[in-house]
Amino acid sequence: MNQFEHSLELFIESAGWLAPVLFVILHLIRPLLFIPVIVMCILGGVLFGFFEGALLNFIGLSLMSLVSYLLVNKFPRFRKGITRLKDKMFKDRTISVSQVMVLRIMPFVHFHLLSFYLIEMTKSIKEYMYLSVIGLIMPAIMYTAFGEAITKLPWYVTGVIAIILIIIFRYLEKLNKTKVEPT
């Protein structure tokens, strides 16, 4: 593992100004390589440090959100696949923007599925990108800064964090239902 980290550091140093560009491009092709978002964000922190890594992760995730919007709206087959996934994961559920923001923080929740929810909730690309970008700030910062530490935590601590996020998600769901249902 030390050899791999050393090789990565050498590659970044030799790539110079091109390294950040290649990293952002890697964010865009990440879904094709089946690399989870959290892994990319951790990698950004390891390769570029906290500040530059968080910024590059934020840029890469924001561009990926734009790509998600374009894929859903230009390719009916992609929209159909994401709709099937939505029906499988959150059948008969209405999810609020706040819940999408919490789910963005949770590791291994499907990025394009959450983008699809935002696409359905918004009326324009401008509104979608605004909400999407706001929802990407925390994961980019959190996973860049604490991602490596999270992955090194014992399984039970990771489980407790997941349970806390699920409780917050459920609370926001109940809060959303009280806003929707007439009293």
Side-chain angles (χ1 to χ4, degrees):
M1 188 65 166
N2 259 348
Q3 180 64 28
F4 177 71
E5 287 179 21
H6 183 67
S7 297
L8 277 175
E9 287 175 18
L10 281 174
F11 175 75
I12 295 298
E13 287 174 15
S14 64
W17 66 269
L18 198 56
V21 173
L22 293 173
F23 183 74
V24 169
I25 290 170
L26 184 60
H27 258 289
L28 295 175
I29 61 171
R30 172 197 60 74
L32 301 173
L33 303 172
F34 302 105
I35 300 172
V37 171
I38 189 172
V39 172
M40 284 299 299
C41 290
I42 291 169
L43 186 62
V46 170
L47 295 177
F48 298 101
F50 172 69
F51 292 108
E52 190 177 358
L55 179 63
L56 291 172
N57 282 324
F58 179 73
I59 291 168
L61 291 172
S62 297
L63 288 173
M64 193 67 243
S65 289
L66 179 61
V67 168
S68 293
Y69 186 89
L70 297 173
L71 287 171
V72 165
N73 287 309
K74 299 287 183 192
F75 298 101
R77 195 168 173 195
F78 187 80
R79 178 184 278 273
K80 188 176 179 182
I82 292 291
T83 302
R84 268 195 319 260
L85 180 62
K86 176 186 164 193
D87 292 341
K88 190 185 291 186
M89 300 261 315
F90 299 107
K91 190 174 185 166
D92 300 326
R93 262 206 178 140
T94 304
I95 294 180
S96 69
V97 173
S98 304
Q99 288 174 300
V100 171
M101 301 304 177
V102 170
L103 288 172
R104 286 258 192 221
I105 297 170
M106 295 178 84
F108 306 111
V109 176
H110 197 282
F111 185 85
H112 293 296
L113 177 62
L114 297 176
S115 294
F116 185 63
Y117 270 106
L118 287 178
I119 291 168
E120 289 186 329
M121 290 181 219
T122 56
K123 294 176 178 79
S124 68
I125 189 170
K126 183 178 178 181
E127 183 183 6
Y128 163 76
M129 284 304 295
Y130 173 77
L131 290 174
S132 190
V133 164
I134 294 296
L136 294 171
I137 294 170
M138 276 308 294
I141 291 171
M142 190 172 100
Y143 290 145
T144 304
F146 304 112
E148 191 173 357
I150 288 171
T151 60
K152 291 182 178 180
L153 290 174
W155 65 268
Y156 55 87
V157 175
T158 304
V160 168
I161 291 170
I163 289 169
I164 290 169
L165 288 173
I166 289 168
I167 290 168
I168 292 169
F169 176 81
R170 294 289 186 178
Y171 173 74
L172 289 171
E173 182 177 45
K174 287 180 183 179
L175 192 63
N176 188 37
K177 284 183 182 180
T178 59
K179 287 182 183 179
V180 174
E181 296 172 3
T183 54

